[in-house]
Amino acid sequence: MMLLPDAPHSKSPEELYALLESSPSGIDAAAAQSRLDHYGFNTLTEEQRTLISIFLSQFKSPIVAILIAAALLSYIMGNRNDSMIIVGILVVNSLLGFFQEYRAETSIQALKKLTETHVRVIRMEIEVLVPSNEVIPGDIVILGEGDLIPADIRLIEAHAVQADEAILTGESIPSSKQAEPLLSPETLPYERNNMLFSGTHILKGTATGIVTATGEQTYLASIAKSARELSPDSPLTRSLAIFSKRLIVLLLGILTLVGIAGMMQGRSMAEMSSILIAELVSAVPEGLPIVVTLILALGAYRLSRYKVLVRHLPSVESLGSASVIATDKTGTITEGFLSVSQTHITNEEALRLCAALCNDASLDRGDPIDTALVRWIGSEYEVIRDHYPRVFYHPFDSQLRFMATVNQHGSQERLNIKGAYEELKAIALNPLKELKIFDTIHDAMASEGLRVLAFGISDESWDDPKDWKINIVGLIGFADTAKKDAVGAILQAKEAGIRVIMVTGDNPLTAQAIAKEVGIWQIGDHLLSGQEIEKMEDKELKSALRGCTVIARALPEHKYRIVKLLQEEGDIVVVTGDGVNDVPALKAADLGIAMGNGSEAAKSTAKMIIIDNSLGVIVDAIRQGRIIAANLRKVIFYLVATCFDEILLISGAIIMGLPLPIHPTQILWINIVTDGVTDKTFPMCREEGNVMKNRPRRLETQFFDRWQMARIGWVSLVNGAVTLAVFYYLISHEYGYETALSVSFCIIVTSQWVNGLLAQKEEEPFLRNIGRSLTINPAIWIGLGIGISLQAIALYVVPQWFHAIPPTLEMLGFIGAATVVVFVLIESYKWGEYWLKR
């Protein structure tokens, strides 16, 4: 079987007939079936994940492995209640994650829908209609206005063909196509004007071409293949993985140290087993997975009020970690359609008539230039067309670069023409002085990235286009204008320390003009083109990207490569997009955001969808993401500190040769009345200060920077040391083990309540702005109230269940004094940190 031709855009139709064993008469039925068997259907390979694989993927986290180990050990040692609670938490958490990820498995199916149509082909000299999935290499395809292009096709004939390739290139201007030119093999896809690409469609004209690639060999398929790569884990997931690995190493070290100390003290195996289980249960923040999921779920609900739909829960936090936004231009920064931006008019009435009559749009449907003119003319459009009937039509010619009509003006016929200024100037009768003014205005408009057309009229003979002589009556510059909120959104993003890079398929002049208008590009910034990127090695491109804010003529593979290189530099990258050309970058990004009116391929690949296609909505969502990330940081601090204070308490007691200061059953109860009731209130914590004034944190420091680690260490040390000191005092002064155990049980609980209360504010101490401290999270008081009630029940109703006795007044005195000391020491530390940061 023949091989598909390389670089068909560089070969003539005759060469392709020979290479593809075809002819203008098409191929016969036997050859068609043979090629279908060999090359397969003209569809994209389906990507699927089974339900089981999606469910099992929820258990990959190292912290989940620790919890499973803890559950197994607890069960083996007879602590079945502990074991079942941990298993229950894991199941709930995994089910929440499963249902979120299951909804995301539709990207390739959406891409396949782009080619579900029928197409006219010539086979054995007969024109037949076949399903697009049965088109094969060598087929001769006939296409007309509005047709979806089913495969990659080299044009044989083209008559005034314009194709909409925005779904691949991101460029809002239609691409003119011609059959005649032979191009260099290195020509980039958006410059291959003798080719039509699968997934795009014909706006104007008719075409005949030979199919050069189908299915997995098409340019569309090369984009789809990138979408099959696994998306990177969210910053939260990666941070927690780093933390979990460190926790495992630290835990093994502590358990080894405690085990050696216990053996040297001659403790029995039964006692050491009890001690090690207590350490293990203390060390694992079993509430962390569920509280993180709750924070993210609540964040997703809040984001929905900002017209943001969340398809992957961890992506909620990714917003708050973003350091770079790689945004497309069309539909995000701009309105997504062309409109009249500037005009230069010498005869307003004639210009408006010409713009209405030399126009193919109908009911605001048609080519982007024509529909822009319809909006500019307004309600008079249909009135003008009815009043001046068309008697002659010269369709747009990509070589002559103009279109023309002749319309009846009463008893007179008038020629109306629009097209490239250079072409109309060549047949213009305008005075030289006037043409020089037109030259200056045209060049000024073009330098601003506008698409400029000239308009002219003539009352002379129109029989032969070679003899036309006209008067130019005006110039109109068209642009995909910037959205009103774009400037403010970009300014706010920059103030938040977020780089904004515009990546577009448009030409450099247009891209730079729009970027300058909205504040993305400033003097001194670099602009890169697709051609330049193509020639750069990764190291060179990384360097170029550091000062780059605009990337023009970008192909999908360029955008994907840029995202990857930015990530290698440590950036958390948010990508916005709406076309198939954006799919690889959306999948590779830390957070892919699709537009609500974008392609199904983009929406099903992205982790978020914004209903209102606006960069302002994304920046508002980043604010919410940062609040969510701040709350996650606070709850991680709280839960980790409460784990380590118990570890330090137990380890310190064992090394000092003391009995266990808290019983394993008490540890489980402590986790309920402290973590269990207070950590669930952290999602309701309000914004602390202005989060958009903060710089983005690096991945490795997002949740565990030196300030966070030092704070965890200090709080754990204070809680553990104060409790151990009181326990040692009571044991050494012969208060009895039962009394000492009950008091230490209560102190560790009240210390963790104090920590939970103070953790609501990270940036300042509790006693600075007390009103703010008391109201930043009203829900914390509900949590503390529930915890106090439960602890009272445990101590005074069923103390025997928890190896405790009801506290006497003297015991309450020890508990109260220790709690005050803990508050003073933690608050003093926060004051010191506050002044150091100022």
Side-chain angles (χ1 to χ4, degrees):
M1 184 61 69
M2 68 198 181
L3 297 175
L4 297 180
D6 291 327
H9 53 279
S10 66
K11 297 177 173 60
S12 68
E14 290 72 24
E15 290 178 284
L16 291 173
Y17 286 142
L19 290 169
L20 292 167
E21 300 175 14
S22 184
S23 72
S25 302
I27 55 179
D28 59 36
Q33 186 59 51
S34 174
R35 294 185 189 190
L36 189 62
D37 293 339
H38 178 77
Y39 293 106
F41 286 104
N42 180 32
T43 56
L44 302 181
T45 302
E46 187 174 2
E47 179 189 27
Q48 287 185 332
R49 291 174 65 194
T50 65
L51 298 180
I52 293 175
S53 67
I54 296 173
F55 182 75
L56 292 178
S57 68
Q58 310 304 313
F59 297 90
K60 292 180 179 179
S61 167
I63 201 164
V64 171
I66 297 174
L67 290 171
I68 291 173
L72 287 173
L73 280 174
S74 295
Y75 185 83
I76 291 169
M77 301 306 296
N79 298 305
R80 297 187 178 183
N81 289 338
D82 299 13
S83 176
M84 295 309 294
I85 288 173
I86 295 173
V87 169
I89 289 171
L90 286 173
V91 170
V92 170
N93 190 64
S94 61
L95 287 175
L96 286 170
F98 168 79
F99 286 119
Q100 284 291 327
E101 290 196 22
Y102 175 70
R103 296 172 56 196
E105 295 304 310
T106 55
S107 62
I108 300 302
Q109 288 84 342
L111 283 167
K112 286 176 66 179
K113 291 179 182 178
L114 292 170
T115 53
E116 289 178 359
T117 183
H118 288 74
V119 64
R120 291 179 294 159
V121 303
I122 297 174
R123 290 188 178 169
M124 300 174 64
E125 299 185 344
I126 300 172
E127 184 180 316
V128 296
L129 194 68
V130 301
S132 65
N133 65 351
E134 294 181 13
V135 170
I136 50 176
D139 261 334
I140 308 302
V141 178
I142 301 171
L143 297 164
E145 186 172 317
D147 283 347
L148 188 70
I149 299 164
D152 288 355
I153 296 170
R154 168 64 163 94
L155 288 170
I156 300 169
E157 294 180 16
H159 302 283
V161 173
Q162 289 194 318
D164 182 357
E165 297 182 340
I167 199 168
L168 294 179
T169 67
E171 185 172 2
S172 52
I173 303 293
S175 300
S176 296
K177 300 292 183 177
Q178 301 171 26
E180 294 78 15
L182 290 181
L183 305 173
S184 164
E186 290 77 29
T187 304
L188 296 176
Y190 54 73
E191 295 176 335
R192 296 175 191 170
N193 59 358
N194 61 4
M195 293 287 299
L196 297 173
F197 295 102
S198 176
T200 63
H201 67 276
I202 303 290
L203 280 176
K204 280 186 178 181
T206 58
T208 302
I210 182 168
V211 174
T212 59
T214 60
E216 290 296 306
Q217 304 304 315
T218 62
Y219 183 54
L220 175 66
S222 69
I223 298 173
K225 286 174 184 175
S226 298
R228 293 174 195 149
E229 291 189 18
L230 292 177
S231 296
D233 289 330
S234 72
L236 172 64
T237 303
R238 283 179 278 172
S239 279
L240 289 179
I242 293 170
F243 160 71
S244 300
K245 291 171 184 176
R246 291 174 180 172
L247 176 62
I248 291 172
V249 172
L250 182 60
L251 181 59
L252 289 174
I254 291 173
L255 290 178
T256 302
L257 181 63
V258 171
I260 293 172
M263 290 174 61
M264 292 177 64
Q265 294 167 4
R267 297 178 187 260
S268 67
M269 284 299 297
E271 185 181 6
M272 286 307 302
S273 296
S274 181
I275 290 170
L276 292 177
I277 288 175
E279 291 268 28
L280 189 61
V281 173
S282 299
V284 179
E286 70 275 0
L288 186 56
I290 192 68
V291 76
V292 167
T293 303
L294 287 174
I295 287 179
L296 296 177
L298 182 60
Y301 169 73
R302 286 176 176 169
L303 286 171
S304 69
R305 294 186 293 178
Y306 287 83
K307 302 181 180 179
V308 179
L309 304 179
V310 177
R311 301 178 62 249
H312 182 59
L313 272 184
S315 64
V316 172
E317 182 276 326
S318 301
L319 271 173
S321 304
S323 59
V324 175
I325 299 175
T327 177
D328 62 345
K329 175 183 74 71
T330 307
T332 307
I333 293 174
T334 65
E335 296 290 352
F337 54 82
L338 292 179
S339 60
V340 173
S341 178
Q342 294 183 33
T343 61
H344 176 67
I345 303 170
T346 58
N347 185 331
E348 184 171 358
E349 181 182 0
L351 177 62
R352 293 181 69 82
L353 288 177
C354 183
L357 299 173
C358 191
N359 195 315
D360 285 339
S362 174
L363 297 176
D364 206 29
R365 295 181 63 185
D367 140 319
I369 292 286
D370 285 350
T371 54
L373 290 172
V374 171
R375 289 190 296 273
W376 179 65
I377 295 164
S379 59
E380 297 178 0
Y381 177 73
E382 294 294 342
V383 176
I384 293 171
R385 290 172 68 86
D386 291 341
H387 191 67
Y388 302 98
R390 182 181 291 185
V391 296
F392 170 78
Y393 174 55
H394 186 286
F396 176 81
D397 189 308
S398 58
Q399 291 183 320
L400 296 176
R401 298 170 67 201
F402 63 68
M403 73 168 286
T405 65
V406 175
N407 297 80
Q408 195 75 40
H409 284 243
S411 60
Q412 187 179 5
E413 294 176 345
R414 173 175 289 176
L415 174 72
N416 301 283
I417 185 171
K418 76 175 182 194
Y421 171 67
E422 296 86 353
E423 304 299 331
L424 270 63
K425 178 184 175 183
I427 59 174
L429 297 173
N430 301 67
L432 182 60
K433 183 178 180 181
E434 194 172 76
L435 287 176
K436 287 185 176 179
I437 295 173
F438 276 125
D439 288 342
T440 303
I441 300 296
H442 171 271
D443 292 346
M445 287 185 182
S447 68
E448 294 179 24
L450 302 183
R451 172 81 176 273
V452 186
L453 291 185
F455 295 75
I457 61 171
S458 175
D459 292 327
E460 299 182 11
S461 171
W462 50 268
D463 293 332
D464 188 349
K466 294 179 182 178
D467 299 329
W468 287 354
K469 293 297 178 182
I470 64 164
N471 280 289
I472 299 177
V473 295
L475 300 176
I476 296 181
F478 300 84
D480 187 2
T481 55
K483 292 185 175 179
K484 294 179 181 178
D485 67 345
V487 174
I490 289 162
L491 179 61
Q492 193 175 8
K494 287 185 173 182
E495 287 178 347
I498 301 170
R499 286 181 63 199
V500 181
I501 302 175
M502 189 173 80
V503 187
T504 177
D506 271 333
N507 68 72
L509 270 179
T510 301
Q512 188 176 36
I514 290 292
K516 184 179 180 181
E517 180 183 348
V518 299
I520 292 178
W521 185 89
Q522 297 175 335
I523 294 174
D525 291 348
H526 299 313
L527 181 149
L528 288 174
S529 67
Q531 293 96 329
E532 292 171 321
I533 291 172
E534 200 75 18
K535 298 173 185 176
M536 289 182 178
E537 298 293 332
D538 283 355
K539 186 176 180 181
E540 186 182 2
L541 181 54
K542 276 185 184 179
S543 178
L545 285 173
R546 289 180 190 128
C548 178
T549 54
V550 180
I551 297 169
R553 289 298 190 196
L555 293 174
E557 51 265 38
H558 297 156
K559 195 170 183 178
Y560 170 84
R561 184 180 169 203
I562 288 162
V563 170
K564 286 291 190 182
L565 292 178
L566 288 170
Q567 289 171 329
E568 287 178 15
E569 291 290 282
D571 283 306
I572 304 299
V573 184
V574 172
V575 169
T576 72
D578 56 6
V580 177
N581 62 310
D582 297 309
V583 166
L586 287 169
K587 196 72 178 283
D590 296 285
L591 175 58
I593 302 179
M595 306 298 110
N597 63 355
S599 67
E600 287 302 313
K603 286 189 283 188
S604 57
T605 300
K607 294 175 181 175
M608 280 187 183
I609 299 170
I610 60 172
I611 300 170
D612 184 354
N613 297 8
S614 167
L615 191 64
V617 171
I618 295 173
V619 173
D620 286 341
I622 286 175
R623 173 183 289 277
Q624 294 303 312
R626 287 195 170 187
I627 295 171
I628 292 161
N631 288 344
L632 280 170
R633 182 177 165 89
K634 292 173 184 178
V635 79
I636 287 170
F637 157 71
Y638 170 65
L639 289 174
V640 174
T642 58
C643 290
F644 276 97
D645 61 13
E646 294 170 16
I647 292 174
L648 291 175
L649 172 62
I650 296 169
S651 302
I654 301 308
I655 292 171
M656 291 171 65
L658 300 173
L660 268 179
I662 45 175
H663 193 276
T665 307
Q666 292 175 343
I667 294 172
L668 181 63
W669 181 252
I670 290 168
N671 292 343
I672 293 173
V673 298
T674 57
D675 301 354
V677 294
T678 54
D679 62 7
K680 310 303 184 293
T681 68
F682 277 75
M684 274 68 81
C685 193
R686 296 166 182 165
E687 181 178 2
E688 184 179 355
N690 185 352
V691 294
M692 296 303 280
K693 296 292 184 182
N694 301 330
R695 309 291 295 181
R697 287 189 172 98
R698 306 288 289 181
L699 169 65
E700 60 273 13
T701 62
Q702 172 68 298
F703 299 105
F704 300 102
D705 61 8
R706 59 191 180 92
W707 295 103
Q708 179 91 316
M709 297 303 292
R711 202 180 305 117
I712 289 172
W714 176 254
V715 171
S716 300
L717 180 63
V718 166
N719 288 358
V722 169
T723 307
L724 182 59
V726 175
F727 179 76
Y728 174 76
Y729 177 85
L730 294 175
I731 290 289
S732 62
H733 286 73
E734 299 182 357
Y735 277 85
Y737 177 65
E738 196 173 45
T739 298
L741 183 65
S742 299
V743 170
S744 63
F745 171 40
C746 292
I747 292 174
I748 204 71
V749 168
T750 58
S751 298
Q752 292 183 8
W753 285 340
V754 167
N755 182 29
L757 183 61
L758 299 183
Q760 300 304 306
K761 293 201 309 184
E762 179 182 359
E763 302 299 328
E764 62 181 15
F766 184 87
L767 296 178
R768 189 180 190 279
N769 196 344
I770 296 179
R772 178 70 173 163
S773 300
L774 296 175
T775 59
I776 191 169
N777 186 6
I780 189 69
W781 301 108
I782 299 173
L784 290 174
I786 294 172
I788 291 169
S789 300
L790 291 173
Q791 183 70 357
I793 291 171
L795 292 173
Y796 292 104
V797 179
V798 286
Q800 66 277 9
W801 291 5
F802 301 101
H803 306 273
I805 59 174
T808 63
L809 285 176
E810 186 180 12
M811 292 167 65
L812 289 174
F814 282 112
I815 296 166
T819 304
V820 170
V821 170
V822 166
F823 178 89
V824 170
L825 291 174
I826 296 176
E827 180 70 359
S828 298
Y829 181 88
K830 294 193 72 173
W831 274 103
E833 183 181 315
Y834 174 75
W835 287 110
L836 282 173
K837 287 183 176 180
R838 286 176 66 85

